[in-house]
Amino acid sequence: MPDGFGILSEGSVASEADWISNFDGDRSVFSSLLSDGILRNTGTVRGKRQFSLNFVGVLATGRSVWFSFPKASRAHRMEDADLILQTIIDYRHRTDRTRSSADFSQDADRMKIGTIVDTFKALTTWTLDRGFHHEAVVQNRMVLEAIDWDRTISSTPAMHSNGSVVYPAPVTRINSSAISSLAEIQAIALLDLQKRLGPFADLLAPSSTDLWHECHQILDQGDAIAIPDLIESSIDNYAATTNRDEDMELIALLRDWTTETWSAGSSVMAYGISSFHTVWEDICVRTMANLGSPVSHAEVASQPAYLINGHEFSLKPQRPDILLDRSGRIILADAKWYLLDANSLPQTPDAIKQFAYELSIREDLQVETNMLMLPTEDHDTWVLAGMLHMAQSGSHDHRFRTVSVIALNWKHLSRLYVRREGLGNDFIAQLTALVASNQQIPVLKA
């Protein structure tokens, strides 16, 4: 674990004084996270207000970096951090959220600097692959492998002969050894991002010591000045005079950096997402999608409506997270970001909804399985953790079918999610067999 790096956990609750202590005694960090909805007031205990952490991902200031793990992660392994961030990135892209709001809840959009990690990773990868930008020297000579066909076609006369086109003076582009002023901006951007990410930069780019050394060498030899207007002007000048794809890619990355750097309005960098339960829901929905045809509840079930004075007033239809039609056999499921703990299981409103989803399904259709999907990391893939049933005085009410409680390894499902894969086609058959034989595994934490 690098110096200046700390671990947090989603859902952690502490007093204001304890949170300020966690954040190196910096009250401004606490205030910023509270105003952005990352910390939320959860009430008072013994006269002290308590605040819970509603965030998964990276939090950083100029001095320190923290990684907040999902609450389902008990081990807090740093090798899981990249999977968590990639899952959040995939969720953002798949749900058509904007770049800024993808990284925060609606209350946390003010900072608008969530894509710093994206920019850092993209710029370091580009530089490690292609090096620092060099000035291009255009010479008119026959070097076939270095012909710049765009410039040749647009700026030199062509000769037409026997149905062919010949360019007698092709333009070639030879890279000189001279580092360009764009390379100096490239070095400034890399070092700036590295400094702002602090120890987390070492985790994102673990083999980049030589890269940082080269950045310093370039700046020692150059004369670039880190003034926003001058830097943006230089980038614009290069953009106006180049037509090379590589140049345009680098210019786009540097523009991302200037936008993220000089438009940010907070001393805290947050890269991740509030309300991680929405990510878990999307993971479950998409990894189950291959098991049947998605349908809306309104298509296959009756819906609530009032009848008053001869007029019917329909309510919004029920919306389970997952409803799949398998040739007349229905799968019902809700993804719940709750731990398998006696004190934090889904409560009565969620339980009653799950029974109502099934009871209102049309009689000509068969509910093959009805389940709640909860996260775990205690098992490799998934287990039948238990059942939800209606009971009175300890006795099962046979008017209601039981709902299966499935514990799924959140890391396994996240890997399937980022690989665009689904649960195996035998998942439902295995689950049905386990339910029939009542082979549940005791995983509940008392």
Side-chain angles (χ1 to χ4, degrees):
M1 186 74 62
D3 294 336
F5 194 94
I7 286 178
L8 301 171
S9 182
E10 176 199 21
S12 296
V13 178
S15 67
E16 178 177 348
D18 288 339
W19 279 120
I20 292 173
S21 176
N22 284 337
F23 296 128
D24 299 333
D26 192 337
R27 181 177 293 276
S28 67
V29 174
F30 171 83
S31 299
S32 180
L33 296 182
L34 183 63
S35 66
D36 289 313
I38 290 174
L39 286 176
R40 295 184 178 177
N41 191 341
T42 58
T44 303
V45 175
R46 299 185 183 92
K48 293 183 178 180
R49 287 191 302 167
Q50 303 293 302
F51 301 88
S52 65
L53 180 63
N54 181 38
F55 187 77
V56 172
V58 183
L59 295 172
T61 64
R63 298 188 305 274
S64 303
V65 177
W66 300 268
F67 193 89
S68 178
F69 282 86
K71 66 181 178 182
S73 172
R74 289 192 173 95
H76 293 167
R77 296 186 179 94
M78 283 313 304
E79 55 264 33
D80 296 333
D82 191 58
L83 172 64
I84 293 166
L85 292 178
Q86 186 58 54
T87 302
I88 292 171
I89 291 169
D90 273 33
Y91 170 75
R92 179 179 66 205
H93 292 162
R94 288 177 169 196
T95 52
D96 296 324
R97 303 176 73 185
T98 63
R99 293 182 71 194
S100 58
S101 63
D103 300 314
F104 306 100
S105 67
Q106 288 184 346
D107 295 331
D109 283 343
R110 181 178 62 81
M111 289 190 283
K112 296 186 183 298
I113 56 174
T115 53
I116 284 179
V117 173
D118 283 337
T119 304
F120 175 79
K121 292 180 72 173
L123 189 55
T124 52
T125 299
W126 193 99
T127 306
L128 289 170
D129 286 347
R130 302 176 187 180
F132 285 88
H133 189 264
H134 285 70
E135 295 288 5
V137 178
V138 178
Q139 300 177 349
N140 291 327
R141 66 181 188 184
M142 284 297 292
V143 183
L144 184 60
E145 63 272 16
I147 293 176
D148 185 335
W149 286 108
D150 286 340
R151 284 182 177 271
T152 297
I153 293 170
S154 63
S155 62
T156 65
M159 296 177 60
H160 298 267
S161 174
N162 298 324
S164 300
V165 179
V166 177
Y167 292 90
V171 176
T172 59
R173 184 184 293 275
I174 311 299
N175 282 341
S176 75
S177 60
I179 290 290
S180 70
S181 58
L182 195 63
E184 295 178 40
I185 297 173
Q186 190 178 348
I188 291 172
L190 286 166
L191 291 175
D192 174 68
L193 290 166
Q194 181 211 22
K195 180 179 178 181
R196 295 173 67 199
L197 287 170
F200 195 66
D202 296 331
L203 297 174
L204 294 171
S207 303
S208 300
T209 303
D210 291 342
L211 177 62
W212 312 135
H213 180 67
E214 190 173 358
C215 286
H216 286 293
Q217 282 187 323
I218 289 171
L219 295 181
D220 288 342
Q221 297 168 8
D223 56 5
I225 302 174
I227 297 176
D229 288 345
L230 293 178
I231 285 179
E232 290 176 349
S233 177
S234 295
I235 293 173
D236 290 341
N237 289 339
Y238 266 97
T241 57
T242 185
N243 62 1
R244 292 196 304 173
D245 290 341
E246 287 190 1
D247 286 359
M248 298 308 296
E249 289 174 13
L250 178 58
I251 287 167
L253 290 173
L254 293 175
R255 280 177 168 162
D256 284 344
W257 164 67
T258 59
T259 300
E260 296 302 324
T261 300
W262 294 315
S263 66
S266 172
S267 61
V268 182
M269 190 280 287
Y271 184 85
I273 193 165
S274 298
S275 305
F276 192 79
H277 70 273
T278 59
V279 181
W280 176 245
E281 289 169 5
D282 202 54
I283 289 172
C284 293
V285 168
R286 294 182 188 275
T287 54
M288 287 275 290
N290 63 305
L291 302 180
S293 301
V295 292
S296 70
H297 198 265
E299 293 178 69
V300 296
S302 56
Q303 303 301 322
Y306 286 104
L307 187 61
I308 297 176
N309 293 331
H311 298 283
E312 185 171 270
F313 302 94
S314 298
L315 302 181
K316 290 182 179 179
Q318 302 171 80
R319 294 184 61 185
D321 293 333
I322 299 165
L323 201 164
L324 302 174
D325 186 350
R326 291 157 53 90
S327 301
R329 304 190 314 277
I330 299 298
I331 296 175
L332 282 165
D334 254 18
K336 297 299 180 187
W337 189 241
Y338 290 84
L339 301 180
L340 281 163
D341 185 291
N343 297 317
S344 61
L345 289 168
Q347 295 302 297
T348 300
D350 288 324
I352 295 300
K353 279 197 304 182
Q354 210 62 30
F355 290 113
Y357 291 152
E358 178 171 350
L359 289 172
S360 52
I361 295 291
R362 294 197 324 249
E363 292 183 352
D364 60 311
L365 299 173
Q366 173 193 352
V367 176
E368 188 171 8
T369 188
N370 186 2
M371 58 184 154
L372 294 174
M373 304 174 72
L374 277 65
T376 186
E377 62 179 8
D378 296 333
H379 302 275
D380 290 339
T381 52
W382 64 272
V383 294
L384 175 61
M387 297 290 181
L388 168 66
H389 72 138
M390 295 293 286
Q392 184 176 23
S393 301
S395 298
H396 172 61
D397 187 338
H398 292 280
R399 293 177 299 169
F400 303 89
R401 288 183 60 196
T402 58
V403 175
S404 300
V405 179
I406 312 299
L408 302 103
N409 186 294
W410 67 271
K411 291 188 288 187
H412 173 67
L413 253 66
S414 295
R415 293 187 189 100
L416 293 178
Y417 182 75
V418 299
R419 295 198 302 256
R420 305 299 200 267
E421 297 176 5
L423 287 165
N425 291 326
D426 57 351
F427 169 67
I428 297 300
Q430 291 177 357
L431 173 59
T432 303
L434 286 175
V435 172
S437 60
N438 196 30
Q439 295 181 27
Q440 66 188 61
I441 296 178
V443 295
L444 183 68
K445 309 294 182 182

